[in-house]
Amino acid sequence: NVARLNSRRIAAVAIFASLYAALRLIPVSPLIGLRSSLTMGEIFSPLAGMILGPLAGGLSVLVGTFLTVAMGRPLVFDGLDFIPGVIAAVTAGLAIQGRIFWSVGLSVLLITAFSVDPLSATTVQVGQLMVPFLWMHMLAVLTALIVAWRVGTRNSAISNPVFIATIVFISTMNAHVSGSIMF
């Protein structure tokens, strides 16, 4: 099944890009260390991937990011603001299509890239305790593997709320680690 850009797919990408752009203007929580905030757009990006698939979902987030810039939202990562959202959409799109192991592979690739970067923090201090920075990312990978093994990755799994929650979890963690690499 080759992903073709027919008129319906282009329209869907445009609609989701517009939705994503509008949702990026609604702040949810401030981002620590930046003069920016987590927005509804970041929450929407996995949904775009699950509904449109990895390529069209990722494209809608990419276009939506630059629509938001055109609407006045400043860039934070030197024009690379789209990367975390696109990663989330692609991860979710792959997983919902039954390619959860591709999503996990993307996680492993991102975790490895973060880990080999000498500027990346390997631990963070929580109170008096030093905690591995990537602990939740590794938990997402483990969860995805367990759920794929127990629930499956095909049509019957799509209606399973545990499978959907796992997809959102791993796609959000992939977005986070890609943003951490950029930071």
Side-chain angles (χ1 to χ4, degrees):
N1 183 9
V2 176
R4 294 175 302 191
L5 282 180
N6 58 31
S7 57
R8 284 187 179 155
R9 191 172 271 314
I10 291 170
V13 168
I15 290 166
F16 273 73
S18 299
L19 281 168
Y20 181 75
L23 292 171
R24 275 189 56 130
L25 298 174
I26 303 170
V28 174
S29 172
L31 290 171
I32 298 170
L34 295 175
R35 290 182 301 164
S36 185
S37 62
L38 178 69
T39 68
M40 289 297 291
E42 283 81 26
I43 296 168
F44 180 76
S45 56
L47 183 63
M50 285 189 275
I51 292 173
L52 298 179
L55 297 177
L59 181 60
S60 71
V61 170
L62 173 70
V63 171
T65 300
F66 291 107
L67 279 175
T68 309
V69 172
M71 295 161 68
R73 181 181 165 120
L75 292 172
V76 179
F77 287 117
D78 298 328
L80 300 175
D81 295 30
F82 64 90
I83 290 176
V86 169
I87 292 288
V90 168
T91 301
L94 288 169
I96 202 74
Q97 290 181 347
R99 297 186 280 176
I100 191 93
F101 297 105
W102 283 85
S103 297
V104 168
L106 183 55
S107 296
V108 170
L109 180 70
L110 290 167
I111 289 169
T112 301
F114 181 87
S115 297
V116 299
D117 182 359
L119 299 176
S120 296
T122 56
T123 59
V124 291
Q125 188 167 349
V126 179
Q128 299 296 327
L129 187 63
M130 293 304 286
V131 178
F133 181 78
L134 296 173
W135 75 270
M136 192 174 284
H137 306 82
M138 291 182 224
L139 180 63
V141 169
L142 183 62
T143 302
L145 290 173
I146 290 170
V147 168
W149 174 62
R150 297 291 292 161
V151 175
T153 59
R154 296 288 173 212
N155 295 335
S156 62
I158 292 172
S159 62
N160 187 315
V162 173
F163 185 68
I164 299 300
T166 301
I167 290 172
V168 171
F169 184 33
I170 195 166
S171 62
T172 302
M173 290 298 98
N174 281 356
H176 180 263
V177 75
S178 67
S180 297
I181 291 168
M182 292 182 343
F183 189 75

